[in-house]
Amino acid sequence: MSELNERVCSWRVAIEQRVGPKAANELEDHLRTMIDELATTGLPEEERLLLASHRLGHPDALSAEFAKNDPFAIWRGRLAWMLVGMVPLQLLLSAIRDVMAKVGTKSIMWGWSPWAAASVQLALPAVVLGTILAACIWAGKATRPRPWIPAGWLPTSFSRLACVLVVVVVAFTIEPLIISLYRDWGVDDAHVCEFHELLYVYSIGRDFLYLAFNTVGAVLIAWLLTSRRAEPDTASA
Amino acid sequence: MPSKELVAASSRPLVLSILAEGESYGYEIIQRVRQLSGERLEWTEGMLYPVLHRLERQGLVKSVWRTAETGRKRKYYKLVRKGAAALAEERRHWLSVHETLAGLWGPTLKTT
């Protein structure tokens, strides 16, 4: 019996890692009950354990099914995909901004105000980001039935809407905020050299920010994708 | 053998109906399903527990840990009023599907 106990214990360790202690208690009781009932078949203990654990299901399959009930696991899966999308998006945006910084500087040379230059700088990323978001929403909706109804193009839940809004707000508030701070400091708007300096200082700060963001993002992605599977796609009972 | 999706869809009304007969626990529910279906419905037994936990989170069943006759701790599930209402609703939906199909096929299962 003690050998069987040992085997059940190591089975339990594997299960508990995947579904947590409470669910593991239930599953262990189920397994032990089944092993007891199978005693009538005359099978040796070891085979009864094998049969019972087979009937209960593979630990990975069970963990996937239990994860569907765990909001944290589901959100962790969603977060992983958001981060996966954010990194290329950040790279694209930083490339566009580099180009637009040059355009903004040039427009100052043409005698535009810093505000007009800043607006020009923001226009292209806004268009690109808007297009990307629209494409994402469309791609999400297109997999569902009846994608051509206009109302179906809007985010269907508050959580999705919140995700979209956070991305939009973060992307668009940083730059105008810094430009307006620059104005509040009372520096002459039309001063071309200082606008140059501002852009230079801003671009260094931003590069550090992006580097930090991407590093944290990469670590998070690695953690999310290597930890236990979240939001499995197949349903079974 | 019914498809995985059909088995998954039927797990909710099945579990609710079995709990409507009285308090029960995982292993016993599985035995009851096996007996009722004549082994035609094949469940991966562990998959029952996420279903039970979902029902509990939705407030349709209540659970309590007690020491079983084996001396081990065991979690017992019981249908609550909200669960009975949900079961009545499920019953209506499943019967309407059943009646529609029976109207086409006839009411009895000829071969298995």
Side-chain angles (χ1 to χ4, degrees), chain A residues 22-23 25-27 29-30 32-34 36-37 55-57 61-62 65-66 68-69 234-237, chain B residues 4 7-8 11 26-27 30 34 43-47 49-51 53-54 57 65 72-75 77:
Chain A
K22 278 187 182 165
N25 282 344
E26 271 192 291
L27 290 169
D29 176 54
H30 191 117
R32 286 183 184 276
T33 311
M34 206 176 344
D36 292 349
E37 303 244 320
R55 276 210 207 154
L56 258 176
L62 289 179
E65 200 59 33
F66 274 87
K68 285 183 193 167
N69 280 353
T234 51
S236 57
Chain B
K4 245 170 119 178
V7 173
S11 65
Y27 187 80
I30 292 278
R34 181 165 291 148
W43 282 22
T44 307
E45 304 195 1
M47 301 301 193
Y49 293 96
V51 176
H53 297 173
R54 220 164 6 246
R57 215 183 49 216
W65 284 94
R72 289 191 296 269
K73 288 262 180 200
R74 183 172 280 166
K75 199 174 181 184
Y77 293 87

